[in-house]
Each structure stands twice: as C-alpha cells, then as structure tokens.
Amino acid sequence: MNEDALKSLREEALRTNIPIMQEETLDYIGSLITRHQYHTVLELGTAIGYSSLSLLHRVGQLSITTIERDEQRYLQAMENFNVFRTRDSIICHWMDVYDFETTACFDVLIIDAAKAQNQPFYERFKDNVRSGGCIIIDNMNFHGLDSKQAKKDHRRNLSIMLDRIEKFDAYIESSDLAYNRYDIGDGLLVIWK
Ligand SMILES: C[S@@+](CC[C@H](N)C(=O)[O-])C[C@H]1O[C@@H](n2cnc3c(N)ncnc32)[C@H](O)[C@@H]1O
C-alpha cells in the first residue's frame, strides 16, 4: 500500500473535519493485532475508511468488516478501498450499526462510531468476538472533557455524550471483565475475552 497516498488521505480527512483515529492509536492496534496473530476485525464506524486502510497497511493479512451509516462517507470509503485495491480484505456495509446482523465470530471488535452508543454497541456485538479475542473502544478520554463541566458550560449534547462515555466506563469497571485502559491517542479501552 502506498504510504504517501495514505498520508494524503489522512490530510484530506483532517482538512474536511472527518474524525479519524490518531496515528499512535493505529500503531497500538496494529501491533496488538500482529502480536496476537488476529486475522478478522469488525469495525463499527468506517468514516472514509482511513482506519481500515491503515490497519491493513500495518498488519498485512487482515480481513476487515466495517460499517458506516453516512452515505457520503460510505461512498468516499468505497472509492478509497478501490484506489487502494483492497479487494476482499475490506468489506464495507452502508447501514446503521443497529441494523447489522451477523452470526460470524471475529478476533477483534473495534467500536469507533457514535460515542454515546458505546454500551449498546458493546452489548450488541460482544458475543461476536471469539474467546481469546478483544474489544477495542476509542476516545474514552474524549479530549479530556468531562460531563459536569460541559453541563456548566450549557453544552447539553456534549454533556449527554460525555455522561454516557463515563457511565460506560463505570459499567466496565464494575464488571468482572478483564480490561486495560491506555492513555494512547484519545484514550483506548481494551476488553479481553
Ligand atoms: C470517529 S468516525 C470513524 C473513524 C474511522 N474509524 C477512522 O478512524 O478512520 C465515526 C463514524 O461512525 C459513523 N456512525 C456513527 N454512528 C453510527 C451508527 N449507528 N451506524 C453506523 N455508523 C455510525 C459516523 O457516521 C462516523 O463516520
């Protein structure tokens, strides 16, 4: 895969305000996938395909199923997958995550869609991750913002979203799941199955 073309795609996403994973997050996920010899990934939230392409570039042999509900982003992602000739390595579905049904079992689930929906997304797809696999959730620190401050600042929607991220964090903490939090990028949570 052409590194310069990938860099241009990243610059284009940043220029057009399309939210994409940070490089250090992708480095971490790429090395985790390589270390554990994982092969299959289900990603919630494709945007324009930057994270899928970057992981494929880092890992090499990988089969990624990724879901995006925004039509323009989906079309852009499909164009990018064509340009990068990903062929069967990346399958992209244009639909809402809630409408996606599968009986397949993946090595890795990446949750990177609507941040307020982390918990329902986790509950919906956790059983589609095989034993020994993991679930990765990005933006757990959400730029270091907290819901109470956002509420004080009258940023209602932001406050609700932050509150849901915090509640999801508390839910994981009070569970008996094996997990790690990493101060990588915007905060990563890895739940081990
Ligand atoms: C943070 S971006 C994904 C970035 C991408 N993973 C990357 O790093 O290149 C989140 C994407 O999830 C999509 N999204 C949010 N909620 C969704 C849902 N319920 N179903 C499908 N896609 C959703 C948004 O349209 C947005 O493009």
Side-chain angles (χ1 to χ4, degrees):
M1 201 175 285
N2 184 325
E3 198 136 334
D4 285 341
L6 208 49
K7 193 168 166 238
S8 304
L9 187 59
R10 174 174 190 77
E11 285 165 0
E12 183 196 327
L14 295 175
R15 199 176 51 247
T16 52
N17 291 324
I18 291 168
I20 54 169
M21 279 185 187
Q22 296 184 22
E23 289 306 280
E24 60 171 332
T25 304
L26 291 161
D27 284 342
Y28 175 80
I29 299 176
S31 57
L32 181 151
I33 289 174
T34 305
R35 196 167 60 246
H36 290 269
Q37 299 185 328
Y38 291 145
H39 294 293
T40 55
V41 174
L42 172 62
E43 178 190 56
L44 313 182
T46 317
I48 60 167
Y50 182 72
S51 52
S52 300
L53 288 165
S54 298
L55 289 176
L56 190 60
H57 174 64
R58 280 166 169 82
V59 178
Q61 285 277 19
L62 202 57
S63 165
I64 304 175
T65 301
T66 181
I67 304 164
E68 175 57 54
R69 71 176 168 193
D70 181 277
E71 186 178 9
Q72 285 313 312
R73 288 184 183 177
Y74 164 78
L75 291 173
Q76 180 70 59
M78 291 304 286
E79 199 178 314
N80 293 331
F81 297 149
N82 267 336
V83 168
F84 284 88
R85 295 200 177 92
T86 57
R87 295 196 180 86
D88 297 336
S89 300
I90 302 177
I91 296 168
C92 187
H93 296 279
W94 172 38
M95 60 167 61
D96 196 290
V97 164
Y98 286 112
D99 294 327
F100 181 70
E101 289 186 7
T102 179
T103 53
C105 227
F106 298 85
D107 297 328
V108 182
L109 166 65
I110 298 176
I111 304 181
D112 191 26
K115 304 300 160 186
Q117 306 295 316
N118 282 344
Q119 190 165 336
F121 289 160
Y122 167 76
E123 280 166 359
R124 187 172 169 87
F125 293 106
K126 65 179 165 49
D127 294 336
N128 293 97
V129 179
R130 72 161 174 86
S131 166
C134 70
I135 298 153
I136 301 174
I137 301 117
D138 192 24
N139 304 105
M140 290 301 290
N141 295 343
F142 209 81
H143 315 303
L145 298 170
D146 83 84
S147 62
K148 288 193 189 84
Q149 188 57 47
K151 200 170 182 181
K152 269 192 218 157
D153 296 342
H154 305 289
R155 299 171 74 183
R156 190 170 178 278
N157 290 344
L158 177 66
S159 163
I160 291 170
M161 186 191 65
L162 293 170
D163 185 59
R164 295 215 182 129
I165 294 175
E166 289 158 14
K167 285 200 171 113
F168 178 58
D169 214 10
Y171 162 83
I172 296 298
E173 200 167 306
S174 65
S175 71
D176 55 4
L177 294 164
Y179 67 90
N180 294 103
R181 282 201 197 88
Y182 297 100
D183 252 331
I184 292 171
D186 200 20
L188 265 192
L189 176 66
V190 180
I191 302 167
W192 304 97
K193 275 210 67 181

